[in-house]
Amino acid sequence: MRKPRRFSRREFMATITAAIGGLISAGLAIPAVSYIVGPALRRDEADAWIRLGSASKVEIGTPTLFKTTIQTQTGWIVNETQLSVYILTQDGRDFVALSNVCTHLGCRVRWIAENREFICPCHTAAFDATGAVLTGPPPRPLDRYEVKVEDDQIFILGG
């Protein structure tokens, strides 16, 4: 029968030192790796519902402008952007959300109540209350957002 091998005191201390060093390295490496890889694994916030405000502020038949600030994060960079959306309802129950950005060159459109149309100041483009192109160079209607209403609060999808 073979005798079990005995560690010398030097081998024992080297093994213990290596084990303690490995534990310390793992204790530092795990948080460091999660810090580096974490932002890449976060869920994209473009699929989030953005609260605009109270549905009772919207006048029937008149587009109402809502403004909100949204934060987006890319890696460690956080950007704040101002989002402006026109909300329209004909019956107080069904809502339509229209972007206030012209589809021609990205200028901000504004609602002119007397003319009952959106006007783009850049090239005098005009859109009707539903966002359809009336005159000018825009290639398509104003962009729309998906809308939901919960507890008298209006939400749009994405930003």
Side-chain angles (χ1 to χ4, degrees):
M1 180 168 203
R2 257 176 118 178
K3 276 185 158 180
R5 183 172 177 264
R6 294 188 59 138
F7 280 106
S8 69
R9 187 174 285 168
R10 177 172 288 181
E11 290 173 330
F12 175 76
M13 291 303 285
T15 303
I16 292 297
T17 303
I20 291 172
L23 287 173
I24 291 172
S25 296
L28 294 174
I30 291 171
V33 168
S34 68
Y35 176 77
I36 292 169
V37 177
L41 300 177
R42 283 200 189 107
R43 186 176 73 87
D44 187 13
E45 303 214 356
D47 295 336
W49 288 96
I50 300 166
R51 186 175 70 81
L52 294 178
S54 174
S56 60
K57 282 179 50 179
V58 180
E59 294 179 37
I60 293 179
T62 303
T64 305
L65 183 64
F66 284 85
K67 293 182 179 184
T68 188
T69 302
I70 56 172
Q71 285 187 347
T72 54
Q73 183 172 357
T74 306
W76 295 274
I77 300 170
V78 177
N79 294 316
E80 281 192 0
T81 29
Q82 181 83 19
L83 179 66
S84 301
V85 178
Y86 279 100
I87 303 294
L88 175 67
T89 184
Q90 298 299 338
D91 57 8
R93 290 186 310 273
D94 298 321
F95 293 87
V96 175
L98 300 170
S99 172
N100 79 327
V101 177
C102 180
T103 55
H104 177 232
L105 291 177
C107 301
R108 302 287 177 167
V109 299
R110 59 194 160 117
W111 175 250
I112 307 298
E114 299 83 45
N115 300 350
R116 304 249 344 121
E117 61 189 18
F118 292 102
I119 299 294
C120 176
C122 297
H123 295 99
T124 62
F127 301 87
D128 70 8
T130 64
V133 178
L134 295 175
T135 62
R140 57 184 168 55
L142 293 175
D143 294 329
R144 290 183 175 216
Y145 295 97
E146 189 174 334
V147 180
K148 74 175 180 179
V149 178
E150 291 180 355
D151 298 327
D152 194 45
Q153 295 295 309
I154 298 174
F155 294 87
I156 60 168
L157 185 60

